[in-house]
Amino acid sequence: MVLTGVLRHYATTLLATTPKKLSLPTIREQRSLLRGINLRTNAPQLSGQSFNARKNYLVQGYKDGIFLKDPENRGKAPANPMTDPAAMEGMMGMMKGNMMMMIPQTVIMGWINAFFAGFVIMKLPFPLTIRFKSMLQSGVATRDLDVRWVSSLSWYFLNLFGLQAVFIFILGNDNAANQMAQQMSQMNPGAAGAGMFQPGQDPDKLFQSEAENLEVLEHWYILDGVEDRLLATI
């Protein structure tokens, strides 16, 4: 399992596509939306004057479309992501990652089912409740077997998700052998830093929504009345 994870990591690294350098208007478009989100999140740390100055600048820019990468396309329907080379390249990269994650699992799981189906390979040295039986004895259809016995198939799944700390120790935190990290990145691709906008999204609508969020936000300053609060604790 460890060797398979290491090989998958290096194979994924070799097949990975080098990310293209983003243009300055694209970076400005993404970071401008992120500035509005950060302003709402950290609003209590700013005084009323500082917050209002930043809010007015961002809201006016969102409404006027000065942060858009292509202001001339404002109001038009977003382009089909299937015709966008960058989106197609991202989908191909995701497909390569899925293949490198699924093919080794399918091969090893098929090998275990072919040669070790119904085998119990170890007994845990501590007692467990009956609720662990379905998790530890997959592929062993016996009702009277002690819960502490672990089948070969269950041991494979336990190793699959239990070796993440070993992979982090050998390959580092950002490794392709980490199953949970790959699943989370596929569920939320924007979190990986690839881009704030998903294919098919209209940046102008996101800017308008963020402008509305900033306008309705009730600002409060964390240092308001700090002297009275400090004296009250004495």
Side-chain angles (χ1 to χ4, degrees):
M1 291 293 295
V2 176
L3 180 60
T4 303
V6 173
L7 293 176
R8 183 171 64 246
H9 165 74
Y10 286 109
T12 304
T13 303
L14 291 174
L15 292 176
T17 304
T18 304
K20 294 183 179 180
K21 186 177 180 180
L22 298 177
S23 61
L24 182 60
T26 302
I27 297 176
R28 184 184 62 179
E29 185 181 61
Q30 297 178 359
R31 297 300 185 268
S32 298
L33 181 63
L34 190 61
R35 284 183 62 187
I37 297 174
N38 290 336
L39 179 61
R40 286 192 292 112
T41 304
N42 302 299
Q45 278 71 39
L46 297 174
S47 64
Q49 182 179 0
S50 299
F51 172 77
N52 289 329
R54 290 170 170 82
K55 183 186 75 172
N56 294 334
Y57 169 74
L58 289 176
V59 170
Q60 190 64 35
Y62 291 156
K63 292 183 176 180
D64 295 342
I66 62 176
F67 300 129
L68 292 174
K69 177 179 63 177
D70 299 316
E72 62 276 3
N73 294 332
R74 187 181 186 185
K76 298 180 181 179
N80 187 357
M82 300 302 294
T83 61
D84 186 4
M88 290 295 295
E89 186 175 350
M91 286 187 282
M92 285 298 297
M94 186 178 297
M95 186 180 299
K96 292 178 183 178
N98 290 334
M99 290 177 58
M100 295 307 302
M101 183 175 61
M102 295 301 298
I103 291 178
Q105 293 182 12
T106 304
V107 172
I108 295 177
M109 191 172 176
W111 179 70
I112 292 175
N113 281 330
F115 294 99
F116 301 100
F119 278 59
V120 287
I121 59 175
M122 64 177 297
K123 186 177 183 180
L124 299 177
F126 47 85
L128 294 171
T129 62
I130 194 65
R131 293 181 179 273
F132 288 91
K133 188 175 182 65
S134 60
M135 181 179 70
L136 298 178
Q137 296 179 4
S138 299
V140 180
T142 56
R143 298 179 56 186
D144 300 329
L145 187 64
D146 190 357
V147 182
R148 291 184 295 173
W149 286 102
V150 182
S151 66
S152 58
L153 189 59
S154 295
W155 183 243
Y156 163 73
F157 284 113
L158 290 175
N159 284 328
L160 181 64
F161 295 102
L163 290 175
Q164 307 309 320
V166 178
F167 291 140
I168 292 175
F169 177 75
I170 297 175
L171 303 172
N173 291 324
D174 189 14
N175 64 83
N178 195 331
Q179 302 284 337
M180 299 302 296
Q182 286 190 4
Q183 293 175 6
M184 292 299 295
S185 64
Q186 291 171 10
M187 293 172 60
N188 188 15
M196 292 292 298
F197 308 114
Q198 300 303 316
Q201 285 186 329
D202 187 1
D204 186 50
K205 292 182 179 179
L206 295 178
F207 283 147
Q208 299 301 324
S209 176
E210 187 60 32
E212 183 178 353
N213 293 335
L214 287 173
E215 287 180 329
V216 300
L217 178 66
E218 295 184 2
H219 177 258
W220 61 278
Y221 189 30
I222 195 173
L223 295 181
D224 285 342
V226 64
E227 299 88 351
D228 298 334
R229 283 181 285 160
L230 179 62
L231 293 176
T233 60
I234 299 177

